[in-house]
Structure formats: C-alpha cells, structure tokens
Amino acid sequence: MTLLDTSKLPRHIAIIPDGNGRWAEVQGLPRNEGHRRGSDNVREIVSRCHELGIKMLTIYAFSQENWNRPRDEVDAIMELLAHYLQHETDELVEKGVRIDSIGRLDELSPAIQKDITELMRRTEGNDSMRVTFALSYSGRAELVDAVRAIVREAESGQLDPEAIDEKTLRLHLYRPDLPDPDLLIRTGDEHRISNFLLWQFAYTELYVTEALWPDFGPEQLDLAIAEYQRRERRFGLTSAQVRGSE
Ligand code: IPE
Ligand code: IPE
Ligand code: MG
C-alpha cells in the first residue's frame, strides 16, 4: 500500500464515481452490470476510508440530470440503491458511521425516502465517520433552494437583505455543518464537476483518474490521497506566505 502521512489526511473527500457504463462496455456486459459492480465498489471504498480515518466522505450517487437516462437504466440504479440501503449499511452502522444524504429526496420513491430517512435518524448520533450520499442532487438546485429559503426569511422580516453575506448562503445549504471537501476524486477520466457541490468546491483539490469506478480500488484511493498530500493549498496567498516564511 502507498505510504500516507496520517497527520495530513484530507478531512473530507468527495467522490464522483464515474465510468460504470464504460466498464461494462469494455467487459461486453450490459450497462446495468457496471452499476452493480459500481455499487459493490462503494462498499470497498467507504470501508478503506473508514480504515484510514477519513472523517467525512460525500458520494455523488445519482444526479438530477441522471433522471433523463433510459427508463430501464434509472430503474436498475434505483433498485441497486434500495438494495444498498437495506443490505449494505448494517456494517457501517455497527462501525459507528453516520449516514446522511443531500439532494431533492422528495423526488425518490417513497420506499427509498423511507429507508434513507430511517438510516439518517438511526445513525444521527454516530461520529466515527460521516458518509453523505448525494441523491437526486444538483449543485444548482441546491443554490436555488438556498436562495428561496433566504428570500422567504427576508420577506417575513426575519432577515435584513443588506446583511446577506457568504455565511448566510452557507447556512441555507442542505448541510451547513458539513465542511467543504478538501479533495474531489473523479474516476472515468472526465475533467468536469457535472453539477456536483458547486458552492463547496471553491477551494477543493481536484483529482481525476482514468480508472473506471468499478476498477478504482483501495490502492488507487491511497494514490489519490498521496497526490493530495503533495499539493500546496494556497487559498489565494503566495507560496512563501503559506510556508510561513513571509
Ligand atoms: C456513473 O457511471 C454512475 C452514475 C451516473 C449513476 P456512468 O453510468 O455515468 O458510466 P459512464 O460514464 O457512462 O461510463
Ligand atoms: C456524474 O456522472 C453523476 C454521478 C456519478 C452520479 P455523469 O456520468 O452523470 O456525468 P456527465 O454526464 O458525464 O457529466
Ligand atoms: Mg458517466
């Protein structure tokens, strides 16, 4: 395994697990088989993150745009999601993991809404790690939802429009207490954000790998973290300032 500096681990990792369809195509299998293998891999990677002591992990499981895929593919992904929530989460609950979700949950089936809500409630007090699933999620929709809530408060006189600042906006995101990701990992070699955490990625380190999601194993995760540990996060400052020599 790659040697990691445990004192410099990213506190929060976000993942865009892309490439399930291409993985299946390469193997001569139907796309849905790629999603099944992808779902198995979520278990592997969550487990490795837990083992490493990563405190927060946010996984883009299904975007709002993904609803526009062929009906049978959407149905297959939803079945896998339902299966994952019912059968793959016990181990996480036992390990003291808090399971959370962001997105427009009301667009999911009532059964999935019930399962995820129940898991969130059951694990609310857990603190060994926080795993957040982005479901029917869109970064732009999250900002629209935040603006709506802010305007409602302003109209009712609870909020002075002149006092609205970045903090106000953050406080109206789906999970104001979830810190911005330190590292985004995208598999499948696409160099884009695809409407994931638009506000939160302002200073996130981006890592793109050619590995397709079902092939992205614990060793590749370690490589991504090792690469993150070599980066210098400057947040607009000079390198000398960051190193404390100025
Ligand atoms: C990501 O894999 C999984 C979801 C979007 C749910 P894709 O299905 O996008 O795989 P590719 O990009 O077509 O290979
Ligand atoms: C992003 O992957 C969404 C998820 C992994 C859930 P997509 O495959 O949907 O992204 P695009 O369409 O290539 O940008
Ligand atoms: Mg894709």
Side-chain angles (χ1 to χ4, degrees):
M1 284 277 169
T2 312
L3 228 47
L4 294 175
D5 177 351
T6 49
S7 70
K8 265 180 71 181
L9 287 173
R11 188 157 66 125
H12 183 184
I13 298 180
I15 299 184
I16 302 179
D18 198 16
N20 291 347
R22 279 163 284 164
W23 181 89
E25 204 178 305
V26 171
Q27 313 284 322
L29 296 167
R31 285 182 64 84
N32 294 345
E33 187 53 23
H35 292 309
R36 199 183 62 75
R37 291 293 295 262
S39 160
D40 289 346
N41 199 42
V42 168
R43 186 183 52 226
E44 295 294 316
I45 294 299
V46 173
S47 162
R48 178 67 184 151
C49 284
H50 186 267
E51 199 175 272
L52 286 171
I54 301 297
K55 282 293 170 198
M56 284 160 261
L57 178 63
T58 298
I59 302 173
Y60 204 3
F62 194 78
S63 73
Q64 256 193 347
E65 288 78 10
N66 290 150
W67 288 114
N68 299 320
R69 290 191 178 194
R71 176 70 192 269
D72 75 318
E73 180 165 343
V74 171
D75 288 349
I77 295 172
M78 288 300 143
E79 247 177 64
L80 285 165
L81 176 61
H83 184 274
Y84 182 91
L85 295 174
Q86 291 204 342
H87 302 281
E88 306 281 352
T89 47
D90 286 353
E91 198 187 321
L92 298 181
V93 176
E94 271 164 37
K95 285 179 177 164
V97 173
R98 174 174 174 191
I99 296 168
D100 201 2
S101 72
I102 50 173
R104 290 196 174 157
L105 295 192
D106 58 337
E107 293 171 352
L108 299 163
S109 76
I112 291 180
Q113 284 183 51
K114 186 171 156 280
D115 287 346
I116 189 80
T117 312
E118 171 67 12
L119 266 171
M120 280 157 50
R121 195 194 52 73
R122 253 173 78 204
T123 61
E124 208 172 10
N126 289 357
D127 61 2
S128 80
M129 183 188 184
R130 180 164 172 183
V131 178
T132 305
F133 293 98
L135 301 170
S136 194
Y137 177 86
S138 145
R140 286 182 173 173
E142 175 169 30
L143 294 175
V144 167
D145 288 348
V147 169
R148 278 191 194 149
I150 291 170
V151 170
R152 272 196 302 270
E153 283 177 30
E155 275 182 350
S156 69
Q158 288 166 271
L159 186 67
D160 171 10
E162 294 308 315
I164 295 172
D165 56 13
E166 288 184 13
K167 195 168 161 227
T168 318
L169 211 129
R170 170 170 300 280
L171 285 172
H172 291 82
L173 294 177
Y174 294 142
R175 289 294 179 269
D177 63 326
L178 194 63
D180 293 344
D182 300 296
L183 169 65
L184 166 68
I185 298 172
R186 180 165 189 154
T187 60
D189 206 24
E190 305 295 357
H191 296 237
R192 54 178 173 260
I193 302 288
S194 300
N195 206 5
F196 201 15
L197 305 160
L198 298 181
W199 174 275
Q200 296 88 336
F201 282 156
Y203 270 104
T204 299
E205 294 295 326
L206 310 182
Y207 178 89
V208 174
T209 168
E210 282 177 13
L212 302 171
W213 176 247
D215 291 329
F216 183 84
E219 175 66 21
Q220 275 98 330
L221 175 78
D222 290 13
L223 286 174
I225 297 174
E227 156 78 23
Y228 166 84
Q229 295 187 330
R230 288 191 291 272
R231 306 261 180 102
E232 180 178 66
R233 303 186 72 187
R234 288 194 287 276
F235 299 96
L237 303 184
T238 67
S239 193
Q241 282 178 301
V242 173
R243 283 189 263 117
S245 53
E246 204 169 78

